[in-house]
Structure formats: structure tokens, C-alpha cells
Amino acid sequence: MDLSTPHPELPSVATPSVLPQGASTVGLSAWADIDLTAIRDNVAQLARLAGDADVMAVIKGDAYGHGLVPVAGAALAGGATYLAVAQLAEARAARAAGVSAPILTWLYPPGADLAGAIGEDLTLSAGAPWALAEIAAAARSLGTTARIHLKVDTGLGRGGAWREDLAGMLVDAARLEAEGVVDVEGIFSHFASADVPDHPSVRAQQETFAAVLADADRVGLRPRLRHLANSAATLTNPSAHLDMVRPGVSIYGLSPVPDIGGPTHFGLREAMRVTARLIAVKDCPAGQGVSYGHQYVTPAETRLGLVPLGYADGIPRHASGVGPMQVHGRRYTIAGRVCMDQVVLDLGADSPAAAGDEVVLIGREAAGEPTAQDWAAAIGTINYEIVTRLGPRVPRRYLEES
Ligand SMILES: *Cc1c(COP(=O)(O)O)cnc(C)c1O
């Protein structure tokens, strides 16, 4: 690929449709209520836990499925002073929607439109020598100073510079800062196992980061924002808070350490609620195979309920036979296979359910409803994936206390 050609248009960021606050849900197959007040309160709680450290709210992946722009506003209302996304397109979508707070973006390939990003006052992560060189070239072409955060790999083994690359970048960054080409506002790294607080790698990465900060200081770099703590470290490891914490999943009221405690344990509450409506309820004899492959066979005469959500909506196909749902206060697991657009529940012969009744897929831990964590545990994944994959076919309805 020829990287010297002009940049293609940035892809737009796909977003689900939005229902007005208080809109009726009659006639909808399913919808997700997103409680922006919960997000605001969660950020405020994280800010309290972080003490003197600032909060950078991570809103990548359409804010973990909760909606980039509304969540940006709620996080800032809760006291976040910085936002972070993965892709440039996400950062630019936030700017296009009028979000003016500082935004860090850390995932772009060579040839990305960094001049455009600098022009929109985005903060660029520099995690490789080529990235620093491209940022410098873009800033020079604009005759301006690019605000950057150096990204260090302290042992995650993923993004960020290490070893000779890092040593060279610190020297180059100091020189570029002296020339006024970049402002090294921050320096950051990311944990491999912060969700296992006493894992030896946690301490080792903190020590490596401290050594890198000393190296940076020796070449004359004094970044004002040193940051390391994701949600797990924000909640469990005050020694990693430094100047700013960088929580993602916890701002949505999900626990990154479910074995230690759920959201309530940490003073957080879930922001996403997913509800569907039964589109059919029908009587069924014993011995009837249900859904593709007939993996489930009714053990007795019963009533089947059809739920109009499937893997096209982000219901994992691996949740076949195990995904939890609640109807009229009773907990069920999906009967048989998850299809593209629907799943079936065996409601029991005595169920009062009728077509149009509500089915709770993701609710509140405190109310005893199925949660994203229950789904994750049922299929062997993490709650992050459950909420983030909720598809754009499910409209979002934002709730906010006025
Ligand atoms: C996603 C991400 C975070 C947020 O992690 P959570 O576990 O969701 O709090 C923080 N920093 C980086 C670099 C990330 O990629």
C-alpha cells in the first residue's frame, strides 16, 4: 500500500438509533435503556476513589456499547477531565458532535490523518518511533505544537514502545519538545493483569514504569499526566493512581474484578438495561425439539416464548442453552440454539406470559436480575464483551435526571 497518497475519508462510526427520553417502547422488539445519571455517578465515585488523581474516562467501542457522545457528556458531568478512545475516527466523531474536552486517541496506523487530528485539538498517543516522526511531521506542516502522550510497554506485550525504541523516543521527544513541535503532556502504560491485584506482573510493571519516568526525567521530559490505572487498578491498587486514572468498564457500572466484588461492592451501578418483548407464546407438548438442531427437547407440556433477539444483535451463539433471561420475575436460560434474530424460552406450563410481555436480558445485580456478568460467566467471557457487542439493531433510549 502506498502511504504517500492522500488519506482516504475516515470511516464514520456506526451508531444505533436513539429513542427520545420517555419514548414508548410498545411495538419495539427490544431496546436498551442507558442510564446517563448512573454513568455520571459512577465517574464521580471513581474520582473519589482516585483521590488527587484526575479521571480519564475511556469511551472507545461506542462507549462499550453505551453510546460515544451521550456517555462523553455524562462522564464529564461526573468529573472526568479527559476522555480516551482507541481510533481516530471515534475521537473525530466526538469532536464533530461538539465534545470539546481533551481526548486521547491511541490506535492509528502509519499514514493516518494526524494533521487533521492535531487540527481538531486531539491528543495523540505516540507508542513507536514512526508515530512520533509522523506526529512531528504533521505538527511542522501546520506550524503548530502537537499535544502527545508517550505510550510505554512496561510488560503488557501489546502496544507501546520499549527497549531501544523507547530510549530513542525519549531523546527524540525531548528534542522535539525543545523545538516546540510537540508538548509531551503525558506518559502512560497499561497493565496485563490488574484484574489479579496480587499478580507479580502488576508490581513489576509499576517498577518498570517508575524507571521509565526516571529516564524521561533525565532527558528533560516532565510530563504532567502520568497514567497507568485501568478500572481494576483504579478500584484495587491506589499505588497505581499516579496523576490520572483511566477507567473504562467501571464507568458503565460493571466490575472488572467480579471475583472480588460486583458493582454494588464498589459503589457503582449498571448503566445498561436490555429489554425485549415476547413476540409469541404458544402451548407445546412434551418431547418437542426446540430451535435449530433440536438441541433442547421439552421435558413436559409447556409454553414456549419467542424472544426477537439473536446473534445479529450481539446475543452470543455460545449462549445457546445457557444465556439468562427473566420474564415475570422468573429466571430462564435460552432453550436450544441462538438464531440470527431470535431465541426461544421454555416458560413452563403455568407461565402467565403473553405476546408483548417484557423479557429482561440485562438488568441490575441489586434487583436480582440477569446481568452482563451473568452472561459472561455463562459463556466464558468477560462482561466487557457482552455490553460492547450489543448490536446497532437495538435502539438506545437515554435516561437522565434533569
Ligand atoms: C480499554 C483500555 C482502558 C480501560 O480499561 P478498563 O479495564 O475497561 O477499565 C484503559 N487503557 C487502555 C490503554 C485501554 O486500551
Side-chain angles (χ1 to χ4, degrees):
M1 184 187 168
D2 178 6
L3 296 175
S4 65
T5 54
H7 309 285
E9 285 289 300
L10 273 174
S12 63
V13 176
T15 51
S17 62
V18 172
L19 304 170
Q21 177 160 344
S24 166
T25 60
V26 173
L28 293 178
S29 293
W31 66 97
D33 285 311
I34 308 294
D35 183 348
L36 295 175
T37 306
I39 291 174
R40 183 198 70 192
D41 293 349
N42 291 336
V43 170
Q45 167 70 353
L46 292 159
R48 265 191 296 278
L49 294 172
D52 292 338
D54 291 341
V55 176
M56 169 184 270
V58 180
I59 56 171
K60 62 193 179 187
D62 201 26
Y64 295 46
H66 294 67
L68 174 76
V69 173
V71 168
L76 294 167
T81 56
Y82 231 109
L83 303 171
V85 293
Q87 299 185 354
L88 270 185
E90 297 179 298
R92 298 186 76 169
R95 281 283 184 267
V99 178
S100 60
I103 306 177
L104 175 66
T105 167
W106 55 59
L107 210 59
Y108 53 86
D113 181 12
L114 300 187
I118 295 166
E120 291 185 353
D121 199 28
L122 299 173
T123 306
L124 292 165
S125 147
W130 67 259
L132 185 58
E134 291 199 11
I135 292 168
R140 285 200 171 100
S141 75
L142 296 171
T144 184
T145 304
R147 193 179 332 101
I148 69 171
H149 288 204
L150 296 173
K151 186 176 186 186
V152 180
D153 190 338
T154 53
L156 171 59
R158 200 181 70 180
W162 60 11
R163 299 165 178 256
E164 295 79 21
D165 279 350
L166 177 59
M169 277 179 68
L170 292 177
V171 172
D172 290 346
R175 181 175 44 76
L176 290 166
E177 188 167 69
E179 289 172 29
V181 176
V182 301
D183 166 19
V184 184
E185 178 190 59
I187 183 165
F188 73 112
S189 188
H190 195 37
F191 282 118
S193 300
D195 55 329
V196 187
D198 50 8
H199 193 283
S201 68
V202 174
R203 171 68 57 88
Q205 285 192 252
Q206 285 181 247
E207 286 169 359
T208 301
F209 195 53
V212 170
L213 294 177
D215 290 345
D217 190 74
R218 265 193 290 281
V219 300
L221 290 171
R222 306 279 138 71
R224 308 182 282 294
L225 297 173
R226 299 161 294 177
H227 49 110
L228 185 56
N230 57 3
S231 291
T234 303
L235 295 172
T236 68
N237 185 358
S239 69
H241 290 173
L242 307 180
D243 300 316
M244 186 162 71
V245 296
R246 207 173 59 234
V249 80
S250 54
I251 78 174
Y252 309 101
L254 300 177
S255 173
V257 286
D259 294 342
I260 297 175
T264 318
H265 176 79
F266 294 108
L268 306 169
R269 64 183 198 275
E270 300 95 330
M272 179 187 285
R273 179 179 189 82
V274 179
T275 312
R277 286 188 190 282
L278 291 169
I279 53 164
V281 175
K282 58 190 188 187
D283 295 327
C284 173
Q288 173 65 50
V290 172
S291 192
Y292 292 133
H294 282 179
Q295 281 190 340
Y296 179 82
V297 178
T298 54
E301 203 174 273
T302 189
R303 311 189 76 203
L304 298 179
L306 257 66
V307 181
L309 284 173
Y311 59 78
D313 304 293
I315 307 300
R317 192 165 175 279
H318 281 108
S320 299
V322 295
M325 298 193 187
Q326 187 169 302
V327 184
H328 286 285
R330 278 196 226 171
R331 190 73 81 91
Y332 300 96
T333 53
I334 294 169
R337 285 204 186 132
V338 174
C339 310
M340 184 183 289
D341 311 299
Q342 46 193 314
V343 300
V344 182
L345 299 177
D346 179 346
L347 297 168
D350 62 343
S351 170
D357 287 356
E358 294 188 3
V359 181
V360 178
L361 284 83
I362 295 180
R364 301 274 292 278
E365 174 194 62
E369 294 167 329
T371 62
Q373 178 54 35
D374 292 336
W375 282 84
I379 68 165
T381 185
I382 52 177
N383 51 27
Y384 299 63
E385 187 182 356
I386 299 298
V387 290
T388 303
R389 70 190 300 172
L390 186 71
R393 230 166 46 164
V394 180
R396 281 23 175 205
R397 187 171 64 158
Y398 291 98
L399 312 174
E400 194 167 18
E401 282 169 13
S402 47

